[in-house]
Amino acid sequence: MAVDSFDLVVIGGGSAGLVAARAAAALGARVALLDKERLGGECLWTGCVPSKALIASATAAHQARNLEAFGLSGHLAPVDLGAVMDRVQSVIQAVYRGEDAEAMRKQGITVRFGEVRFRSSHVLTVDGQPLRGRAFLLCTGSSPAVPDIDGLQGSGYLTNETIFSLRELPAHLIVAGGGPVGVELAQAFRRLGSAVTVLAGERGLLLREDDEVRRAVGDLFTHEGITARQSRLVGVGRGNAGVEVHYAGEGGEGSLQGDRLLLALGRRPNVAGLGLEQAGVRYDPKQGITIDAYLRTSAPHILACGDVTGPYQFTHAAGFQAAAAVRNALFPRFRSKAHLEPMPWTTFTDPEVARVGLTEAEARRGHRKVLVLRAEFAHTDRALAEGQTDGFVKLIVTPWRGRILGGHIVGPRAGELIQEVTLAMRQGLGVRALADTIHVYPTLSMAVQQAALGFYPQWPLYRLARRPLRALAHRVR
Ligand SMILES: Cc1cc2nc3c(=O)[nH]c(=O)nc-3n(C[C@H](O)[C@H](O)[C@H](O)COP(=O)(O)OP(=O)(O)OC[C@H]3O[C@@H](n4cnc5c(N)ncnc54)[C@H](O)[C@@H]3O)c2cc1C
């Protein structure tokens, strides 16, 4: 039987796989894109896109309940979750139109669906049909982690794979997990009208964020009536309303009843069933596929990127790695490292929470002295005009050169604002570049500039020069 041969075989048609297949085809390579079911991946069907669409409805509901603050009146009828989810699905379909199999084939990409399994290091099968590749790229992503907890199986728990199919608003949603997924969905359901309890785990909400940021999110949750417990889920049973969950940990132990339980307890890499052993690809069932700085697995012509490799499980990380992986797979002699730092990310609560680089605690551990520069949105004219004054910009910089070590923003459009800080860090521009760049008035980005301007009064050089400069000014006068 003649076996189809390709320059690059991409396995998994999600965020990473789509970028990779398009980039390789644009370079003129013969590319196959394989997926077990459909193109789009987690981000499109059950991740970023539906969650952001749901959050948009929740934000609209919140604004409708607070019209008086804008000098308006009116009231919000009880939320019809079915209608909200219909909108979520229509957003998914609008995005999907640009990345379905037909759109890929038009770009010269061979698309196949079915069970993918390596038979040797250069041959795999798709539903039994063999296919040969000069290079391979594994982009199979991750799935929700479901821990082995008493009573969980059979409890009808939800994950991000099922929650966007709900049609009835839960009266009380219990969210197990205080990471970005749990926090975003907790606030969205609260704003749509559910009572929400978060079992955030022993160490609390948003573990990867700066301490000050975590406190701000804790306060926000309290203000919005979301109960967050520093306890972990230890058991599930049947309750009058639906589920009864048992929790334990620093935040106390006990039980509570709710009608739905959402699991948001992290991710597991999709490595099973691919025959990675036959291909000589090393992996860990929990950590995923092991790669080097060039994104090569233990079989150098097989590369991997995205969630299946960690450590940054974001669509933008997957896309960035995918572009680098294509270059390294097709032109191995000219390979280059995929530099992921600094990696920005955002949790899309309202206000948003964005981070790039080190937290203050991390920076203080690694540097003898750091300066912390802040600006409050309560003093930013645009934020005042829009009634979105919660939050702050916090920059952590070195004292002499003003090298930016980290940026943290809690506030309106923090996900957009963090880009400026990321650009400065990536290009090695110090904080003075942010301070000395003209920012449009009145924009939210002025909060970033205000924080950066705080560098000058603390700059040791400025302090040294201040006295002679003052004396000179007196003399000139
Ligand atoms: C609720 C939620 C919200 C999120 N929000 C954001 C956000 O706002 N911003 C952000 O940057 N990230 C967000 N993420 C993370 C983001 O979705 C992932 O980081 C991203 O999708 C990873 O891309 P990937 O290509 O590695 O995997 P995926 O996009 O999941 O693609 C993997 C593909 O591989 C296929 N596949 C799996 N196993 C096999 C197999 N054995 N054989 C063949 N094909 C296979 C799958 O069908 C899928 O199409 C969110 C995640 C969740 C769960």
Side-chain angles (χ1 to χ4, degrees), residues 252-272:
E253 51 179 81
S255 301
L256 66 105
Q257 303 227 356
D259 41 0
R260 299 311 297 252
L261 167 65
L262 168 67
L263 290 190
L265 293 168
R267 315 284 309 165
R268 285 285 172 270
N270 294 329
V271 286

Side-chain angles (χ1 to χ4, degrees), residues 140-194:
T140 49
S142 64
S143 301
V146 180
D148 190 12
I149 286 176
D150 252 8
L152 189 58
Q153 294 306 330
S155 67
Y157 66 82
L158 300 163
T159 68
N160 66 291
E161 292 180 347
T162 47
I163 195 158
F164 301 108
S165 308
L166 280 186
R167 308 292 298 176
E168 303 280 330
L169 193 68
H172 181 193
L173 177 69
I174 301 170
V175 180
V181 172
V183 162
E184 284 182 5
L185 292 175
Q187 189 189 37
F189 274 89
R190 177 71 192 125
R191 288 183 165 193
L192 290 170
S194 297

